[in-house]
Structure formats: structure tokens, C-alpha cells
Amino acid sequence: MAFAASDELLGTFVPVAVYWVYSGIYVLLGDLENYRLHTKAEENAKNIVSKWTVVKGVLLQQAFQIAVSLLLFTVITILLTVLISHRRTHCMDRTDRSRCVQVIKDESGAARPQPSVPVIIAQFIVAMFVLDTWQYFMHRYMHVNKFLYKHVHSKHHTLVVPYAFGALYNHPLEGLLLDTIGGALAFLVSGMTPRTGIFFFSFATVKTVDDHCGLWLPGNLLHVFFSNNSAYHDVHHQLYGSKYNFSQPFFVMWDKILGTYMPYSLERRKEGGFEARPIKLKS
């Protein structure tokens, strides 16, 4: 059980470290005016919260999510310990004790092996689909419900011009509903092991940070493999796109299926950089 618990703890703390390391790389790259989706002047004018406020807000949300995760792990560990103790007591009265010992090992997680690579890939795909589905409908509902938008989700939209380390600048309740519960569902439905979860949630973190980086960098492999990218999500952060492009963080299928997809063209700005220009608004 100790080894499995260690993987679960890593699955909680590693994505947090990945968040700050990956977003820190974007900070070190500088302004990169020739690749920005908005000018620096737009960022300073449209964003109504300071970057220090954003840092504190993200740290608060991450601390809240860690606390919830650790609480869940504690409860699960206690329940599993009680279950194993009950099984062990029950096995003392049985003749096929070798079989009981194997069952106890399996339930404790000590004997749970990593699946094959094809199975892990399949689990990743299932988890991506589950997470996308949950986040699309919850995200969209937070825009439809005026109370939730005003008191919860609007905090994230104070960053009209997104940047990397502001990706998780959310209300703690939003973090719980979208990220914590969505991640738990993706983990459980896919059947992945805690060790696989470390890599999946780290990848999801990288994808989320990249979608909010506010840059269109050449050679970005995430832009090659995913239509849901920094330009796509930038459209959603603008006033004209607030009722569109809800999908996150991987695919765009639910937007296309349910009519909330806003296509765009990526245009060069005269002053440098790019602009994600909605096709619907082109004259």
C-alpha cells in the first residue's frame, strides 16, 4: 500500500510542480512580441488584476485542491484498510487461504502491475474524452448560469488576455468542480493506475498552460496535434467569444456537435504578432 500511496501523492504534487516549471519557461522566454496573440499594451489595458494577484490566486487554488486530494486519499486508505482487515479475518476461517492472500494483495494495491503500453495509450484517450466531456458541460453551465458566472467563473475571465501562469487563476469552487471532480472521473473511468495518473495529469497541466500562454509559437507540437490550442481558447476569452469555444483542454468535438464552435483565422498584425480573428465576424 505504501508504494501505491506514494504514486497517489506524486499524482497530486507533480502536476503542481509541472505547472510552475512549464509556465516559468514562458516567463523566461520574454514578451516575444512577434508571436503574441495580443500586444503587451492590450494585456496591460484589458487585464484588471495584477500578476502578483494571479500568482496568489493560483497558489490558493492549488493548495485547496491538494487539501481535497489528500483528504480523499486519507478516506480511501482508511476504507481500504478496514476492507483488508475484514478480508483477512474472513480468510482465517477458510481452507483456501492461498487464494485469500492473493485477493488481499490485489486489493491493497501492492500487487497491481502497470498495464502494457497499448493499454496505457487507450486509458489516456478514454481519460481525455471523459475530462473533456465533463469540463465542456460544466464550463458551459458556468457561463449560462448567471449566479455561477458572476460569483465564480468571472474570476478566470478577468484575464481577457491570457498568459501561461494565469491558466489556473480560478475560484476555488471552479477548481473543485471542473478540475478535481473532472480529474477524478477521468482517473476512475479510464481505470488507469496511480502511476499512469502522474503522467496523465502532468500532460493535462502542460496542455492547459499552453492553451493560456497567449502565444503562437512555430513548431509547437501541441498545435500540430490539437485543434484546441492557444488561439482557439483566446477567442473564448474575448467578449465576442464568451458563448463559444467552451471545450477544454484537448478536443473541440463538443463545441462542433452542440453548435458552440467559433472558427477563426490566424492573421498577422501590422505591429507584429498574430490575431485570432473570428470568421463569423469577418465582413
Side-chain angles (χ1 to χ4, degrees):
M1 184 60 194
F3 186 74
S6 176
D7 280 349
E8 289 171 350
L9 290 176
L10 287 173
T12 300
F13 287 99
V14 169
V16 173
V18 168
Y19 181 91
W20 292 108
V21 169
Y22 191 63
S23 61
I25 291 173
Y26 276 113
V27 172
L28 292 175
L29 287 175
D31 289 335
L32 296 175
E33 289 292 343
N34 289 330
Y35 303 102
R36 291 178 62 97
L37 295 172
H38 296 272
T39 64
K40 191 69 175 175
E42 279 185 281
E43 179 185 315
N44 294 333
K46 292 183 177 181
N47 290 352
I48 60 175
V49 290
S50 69
K51 290 188 174 180
W52 175 234
T53 299
V54 170
V55 170
K56 291 188 293 184
V58 173
L59 288 172
L60 174 63
Q61 164 153 318
Q62 289 175 330
F64 179 75
Q65 288 182 300
I66 288 172
V68 171
S69 298
L70 293 179
L71 178 61
L72 289 174
F73 291 154
T74 301
V75 171
I76 291 171
T77 300
I78 291 173
L79 292 175
L80 193 56
T81 301
V82 172
L83 177 62
I84 293 171
S85 177
H86 174 75
R87 290 274 190 175
R88 186 176 288 113
T89 301
H90 181 66
C91 281
M92 297 300 293
D93 301 325
R94 297 186 55 164
T95 55
D96 54 340
R97 292 184 182 179
S98 61
R99 171 59 181 161
C100 282
V101 170
Q102 184 60 47
V103 170
I104 291 171
K105 286 182 177 180
D106 291 341
E107 289 178 345
S108 69
R112 188 180 180 189
Q114 276 292 100
S116 63
V117 172
V119 171
I120 291 176
I121 293 173
Q123 290 174 335
F124 255 66
I125 294 172
V126 170
M128 290 162 72
F129 173 78
V130 172
L131 186 60
D132 260 36
T133 300
W134 177 264
Q135 294 215 350
Y136 173 84
F137 288 101
M138 288 302 301
H139 184 195
R140 183 173 179 179
Y141 184 67
M142 285 191 174
H143 277 265
V144 172
N145 186 296
K146 293 181 179 180
F147 178 86
L148 285 177
Y149 184 82
K150 179 179 179 180
H151 297 284
V152 179
H153 189 54
S154 62
K155 180 175 182 177
H156 182 69
H157 279 273
T158 56
L159 296 181
V160 178
V161 178
Y163 47 80
F165 64 84
L168 292 183
Y169 181 63
N170 301 319
H171 190 284
L173 180 60
E174 178 175 348
L176 175 64
L177 293 176
L178 265 70
D179 300 325
T180 305
I181 295 178
L185 287 172
F187 177 82
L188 293 172
V189 173
S190 67
M192 63 175 57
T193 64
R195 178 168 294 184
T196 302
I198 297 170
F199 295 96
F200 174 74
F201 292 117
S202 294
F203 175 59
T205 298
V206 166
K207 184 66 173 60
T208 300
V209 170
D210 204 81
D211 290 346
H212 289 82
C213 70
L215 299 170
W216 189 266
L217 295 175
N220 188 328
L221 292 178
L222 292 176
H223 293 175
V224 173
F225 291 103
F226 295 96
S227 298
N228 197 330
N229 49 46
S230 56
Y232 184 85
H233 195 66
D234 181 76
V235 170
H236 174 73
H237 270 258
Q238 309 312 306
L239 183 60
Y240 54 74
S242 63
K243 294 182 180 180
Y244 300 91
N245 295 9
F246 297 110
S247 293
Q248 58 185 40
F250 299 110
F251 310 117
V252 300
M253 59 182 181
W254 287 117
D255 278 318
K256 288 189 173 182
I257 292 171
L258 297 176
T260 54
Y261 176 76
M262 180 177 278
Y264 63 91
S265 62
L266 203 62
E267 309 287 347
R268 277 280 188 181
R269 286 197 310 267
K270 291 181 179 180
E271 61 270 33
F274 296 91
E275 177 186 355
R277 188 174 301 166
I279 292 176
K280 282 188 176 182
L281 301 183
K282 290 180 72 174
S283 56

